[in-house]
Amino acid sequence: MSAQTRLQVLREMMAEAFLALDAQGTIHELNHRAASLLGLPYGACEGMTPWAAQPMLAGTTLHERLLDALTTREPARFLSELPSGVWLELSVRPVGGEMWVLATDITRRQRAENEVARTEERFRQLGERFQVALESAQMAVWETNLVTGQVFRSEGHDRLYGYPQPLEEWTHEQFLASLHPDDRPEVEAQVAAIFHNDVLSYSSTFRTHWPDNTWHWLISRSRVIRDANGKVMVVRGAILDITALKETEQALQEAVRTRDDFLSVASHELRTPLTSLRLQIDLLRRMAEGKGQEPVSSEKVTARLDAADRQLKRLAALLDNLLDVSRIRTGKLDFELASGDLAPVVQDLVGRFADEAKQAGVVLDARVEGPAPCRFDKLRMEQVVSNLIANALRYGQGTPVHVALRQQDGQLRLTVRDGGPGVPATERERIFQRFAQVQGSARTGGLGLGLYIVRQILEAHGGHVWVEDTPGGGAAFVVTLPVEGA
């Protein structure tokens, strides 16, 4: 065989595609592998450029890079995907006056690499979504390898312990040091148990101390991985911040206690006027049946009827308060606002309480400076003033009660003052909550709803109410309302 024949046989035996191009890019020689990969007509494409012999190659990376190599006469290596989907790894080198091209089919390798890249991207996206899910749920995951000593923790782990940025390291000692003293013994016992018993999983609920001196509740669920001999190899788990859940739980427990206290108070308060009514009615029945010594028209009968009427009013007021609270909770407490003068309303209510104050031996006076122009619901404002005066009579312990109304700094200022024990500073906000009464005070009746309703009514009028000390002791409830036209 001649050297030329041997070279041709060698080219045909190659797994790679071979092209020899002249300086203008026309095909001088090629093997069958090149014709097959590039889709060229073997034996009929010499003297043609590859992209002329196979128009689908025009504009491809192969086309552009071969033109660059023909222009620069510099060696090159590059990858190119053909329109057929075949991936080639090409090596271009000038040889004499020709440009030799070797191409290897790397389609399977490229597809595998692409699949690996797609898989890595899916895992990256999954990891990001998982991280978002962990952060949204205020959760973190961790793993301790007891064989290698390596500790893994997710990005949000350290934030659950109050650190805005991840720490350089996290140790078991740091974890124990952050625990509440009351919770530490139980957690330490659970951790120690995994080395002495066949524990496969455990759950811990504990409080952790943050650098800002606040306490937060966490729950950790852990799984223990052992070797064939039962030796602990890996411990991994998830931590969840349950502070909000604990606060809700405590609020619910407090709500249940408040409900039970209210039911106890309500049953007592509602029973008292009913018992009195039953007694008055029984006495009146005995008089009507002639069993008593007094005629039906006597003053004693009238007194008993007055007593029964007072108890009915008290019962009606208690029920009205309960209905008002229900309306407030459902947003159905209606108001009929109209322009008017608040001064005569206050003066009239003070007059209505005159007899009750006299029977209690309390001096009740008023200093009402009119006019007091305001836009208000007359019935609701009567309810406000009545509640404040009734409270002063009830809690003032027989001291004088003073009611004052005047304009001050562009507002109407109503003050109801008594000389009783006053309201402690720590209680001055709480007493305006539902079912609240001053802690430690003697039982004086009521459901603990009056001041709550007062505040809700005044806020609906654009006003405010609060309690403050008075000179010489006692309490002063202050109401402010906007002056109409001010």
Side-chain angles (χ1 to χ4, degrees), residues 101-404:
V101 180
L102 285 178
T104 304
D105 185 348
I106 60 166
T107 303
R108 294 180 63 181
R109 188 187 80 186
Q110 192 65 29
R111 288 176 179 172
E113 290 177 355
N114 290 343
E115 184 60 32
V116 169
R118 284 193 293 270
T119 301
E120 290 177 347
E121 177 62 18
R122 285 197 295 269
F123 273 110
R124 186 190 65 78
Q125 293 178 359
L126 181 61
E128 289 179 353
R129 292 169 184 168
F130 181 62
Q131 185 62 40
V132 170
L134 289 177
E135 292 178 357
S136 299
Q138 292 186 295
M139 180 184 290
V141 294
W142 57 273
E143 178 179 291
T144 300
N145 190 316
L146 299 180
V147 178
T148 64
Q150 292 180 324
V151 176
F152 163 80
R153 60 194 195 276
S154 63
E155 185 177 337
H157 176 277
D158 296 355
R159 284 199 293 271
L160 294 182
Y161 290 89
Y163 299 98
Q165 300 298 326
L167 302 176
E168 291 186 5
E169 65 174 357
W170 180 258
T171 64
H172 185 63
E173 289 70 25
Q174 285 175 286
F175 164 67
L176 292 178
S178 75
L179 297 179
H180 192 284
D182 295 342
D183 302 334
R184 189 177 299 127
E186 182 178 353
V187 174
E188 289 180 325
Q190 285 182 314
V191 173
I194 69 175
F195 298 99
H196 305 291
N197 303 302
D198 296 331
V199 176
L200 296 179
S201 62
Y202 63 95
S203 177
S204 305
T205 301
F206 51 85
R207 286 159 289 182
T208 181
H209 184 258
W210 280 25
D212 62 2
N213 289 325
T214 59
W215 290 96
H216 293 255
W217 281 94
L218 301 179
I219 182 170
S220 176
R221 301 185 186 278
S222 307
R223 185 166 182 81
V224 182
I225 311 299
R226 301 174 182 272
D227 63 11
N229 298 319
K231 182 181 178 180
V232 179
M233 306 293 290
V234 176
V235 182
R236 65 169 61 105
I239 306 175
L240 176 66
D241 189 321
I242 58 170
T243 304
L245 180 62
K246 280 291 185 179
E247 290 174 350
T248 302
E249 179 183 323
Q250 292 171 357
L252 289 174
Q253 291 174 349
E254 181 62 28
V256 170
R257 286 193 294 269
T258 301
R259 180 204 63 186
D260 293 342
D261 291 345
F262 168 72
L263 290 176
S264 174
V265 171
S267 62
H268 172 78
E269 291 298 323
L270 293 173
R271 187 182 297 112
T272 299
L274 288 175
T275 301
S276 179
L277 275 173
R278 187 179 294 111
L279 177 62
Q280 302 301 332
I281 291 172
D282 184 60
L283 290 173
L284 288 171
R285 183 182 293 111
R286 291 169 62 85
M287 290 179 182
E289 291 174 353
K291 297 179 181 180
Q293 302 298 320
E294 302 291 338
V296 176
S297 60
S298 70
E299 292 182 359
K300 288 188 177 182
V301 172
T302 301
R304 297 192 186 283
L305 288 173
D306 289 341
D309 183 60
R310 285 194 298 273
Q311 297 303 326
L312 281 172
K313 289 180 179 177
R314 181 181 176 187
L315 184 60
L318 292 171
L319 294 175
D320 284 342
N321 279 346
L322 290 174
L323 288 173
D324 282 344
V325 170
S326 176
R327 294 187 187 108
I328 290 169
R329 286 177 57 84
T330 58
K332 296 180 179 179
L333 188 62
D334 297 326
F335 296 91
E336 296 182 6
L337 301 178
S339 299
D341 186 357
L342 189 60
V345 175
V346 174
Q347 193 71 59
D348 178 60
L349 284 169
V350 172
R352 293 187 207 175
F353 276 90
D355 289 340
E356 183 176 337
K358 184 177 180 180
Q359 290 179 0
V362 174
V363 175
L364 174 62
D365 62 35
R367 183 177 180 180
V368 178
E369 301 176 7
C374 184
R375 185 169 176 78
F376 61 96
D377 182 314
K378 185 173 183 296
L379 292 178
R380 292 299 179 187
M381 287 308 299
E382 286 182 349
Q383 191 175 358
V384 167
V385 179
S386 296
N387 267 319
L388 295 179
I389 295 176
N391 269 1
L393 293 175
R394 182 181 301 131
Y395 292 99
Q397 297 184 351
T399 60
V401 174
H402 306 282
V403 180

Side-chain angles (χ1 to χ4, degrees), residues 408-425:
Q408 179 178 325
D409 300 328
Q411 293 182 316
L412 295 182
R413 184 181 178 92
L414 171 69
T415 305
V416 179
R417 178 168 54 89
D418 64 66
V423 180

